[in-house]
Amino acid sequence: MKKLILTLPIIILLFASVAYADKGMIPVNHLPIYEPSQKAVIAWNNNTEIILLSVDLKTENGKTKVIEVLPCIRDPNRIRLIAKLDHEIGDAIPYVALRFPPGKATYAEKEGVLTLNVYDRLITLFPEGKIAMTYTKDLDEAKEIIEEFMDLINEAYKEAVEKGREYAEEYVKRLKSINWMELYKHLPQTNCGECGEQTCAALAMKALQGEAKLSSCKPLLNDPRYAKNLKELRERLGPYLCKTLGLE
């Protein structure tokens, strides 16, 4: 019995596939190795996914560790990943949320978690400094996107230090309550087409998604008949949403 226990690890190493990492090798049983010309190596079959090693991405704004890389559910030729920044970002997240139009941002106030539908993928920010990302081409693309977000997070953190987290969360509540009907009811509703859209409702829907600007509605901005609508809309949105919706 003792002999069997002692020789078992040797048998595994002899018959298992081996994945080579920066710091040694890892046995992988009966699984093909996928290495998409990246530092991360993943092994999986139709039922099993194994992350073999983590990866350090050195960005201009600091060090980020990719702690999990898996095939993307939407497209197996792409990856989904979870990265870990070297610091917490909970106080900055509400200010990051306010930099995106309401249709692109979902903020869970209790958990302090922000999910964004941007770059044709979902990106989720967690207070402890984790960033989850789907539908990513490779780790080089992930690095580029993380660098952009680090710039946003750093700007948001400075604002959080200056104004406090509570200030942002007051406006984040408006982010959650604004929908296209709320925007539409403040528009002229004449369907004049000056904004380039066929209807005022279409403009409201596109503005909510960041695909159009409310400022493209010239009657709203310039016609005295709609001055009250404009004033009420500015007050309803507040400075952050006015900016993201193109109503500066």
Side-chain angles (χ1 to χ4, degrees), residues 14-174:
L14 286 175
F15 291 96
S17 299
V18 176
Y20 288 90
D22 293 339
K23 296 183 179 179
M25 61 183 182
I26 304 171
V28 182
N29 289 313
H30 309 300
L31 288 175
I33 303 299
Y34 172 65
E35 186 174 4
S37 67
Q38 303 301 322
K39 294 179 181 177
V41 179
I42 308 104
W44 80 88
N45 58 20
N46 291 331
N47 300 309
T48 307
E49 299 170 342
I50 300 175
I51 176 66
L52 299 179
L53 70 162
S54 64
V55 181
D56 289 338
L57 294 180
K58 293 182 179 179
T59 67
E60 294 179 0
N61 296 300
K63 188 175 181 181
T64 304
K65 180 179 286 292
V66 176
I67 57 176
E68 187 173 14
V69 181
L70 295 171
C72 180
I73 297 173
R74 175 177 164 189
D75 182 351
N77 293 317
R78 289 178 172 251
I79 60 173
R80 52 193 164 105
L81 59 96
I82 298 177
K84 180 71 170 68
L85 307 180
D86 57 6
H87 55 277
E88 296 182 356
I89 58 174
D91 290 341
I93 285 179
Y95 285 94
V96 174
L98 292 172
R99 284 162 165 77
F100 292 88
K104 296 292 186 182
T106 303
Y107 180 65
E109 188 175 357
K110 184 177 179 181
E111 296 81 8
V113 175
L114 172 65
T115 298
L116 300 166
N117 189 351
V118 293
Y119 301 112
D120 194 30
R121 74 202 66 201
L122 294 177
I123 298 176
T124 304
L125 308 182
F126 298 87
E128 63 269 27
K130 288 183 181 180
I131 300 179
M133 192 183 308
T134 66
Y135 197 63
T136 303
K137 180 181 177 182
D138 50 37
L139 290 177
D140 289 333
E141 183 182 59
K143 178 182 176 181
E144 292 177 8
I145 294 174
I146 289 172
E147 283 183 344
E148 289 185 26
F149 267 86
M150 285 302 299
D151 289 335
L152 280 176
I153 291 168
N154 287 336
E155 291 173 8
Y157 184 76
K158 290 177 183 178
E159 201 167 0
V161 170
E162 179 185 343
K163 299 177 181 178
R165 178 171 178 168
E166 294 76 13
Y167 180 82
E169 288 186 336
E170 182 62 34
Y171 288 105
V172 168
K173 292 177 182 177
R174 303 186 191 191

Side-chain angles (χ1 to χ4, degrees), residues 189-243:
Q189 302 179 26
T190 58
N191 301 328
C192 67
E194 286 191 47
C195 63
E197 304 298 335
Q198 291 187 349
T199 65
C200 294
L203 175 61
M205 292 177 187
K206 286 194 173 183
L208 192 73
Q209 297 296 327
E211 298 171 1
K213 294 184 177 182
L214 292 176
S215 59
S216 63
C217 179
K218 303 308 179 186
L220 178 66
L221 295 183
N222 303 320
D223 193 325
R225 291 178 297 173
Y226 305 114
K228 183 180 178 181
N229 295 43
L230 179 60
K231 182 175 182 285
E232 290 178 352
L233 184 58
R234 289 186 188 278
E235 290 174 352
R236 177 71 179 91
L237 295 177
Y240 290 101
L241 289 181
C242 278
K243 184 175 182 179

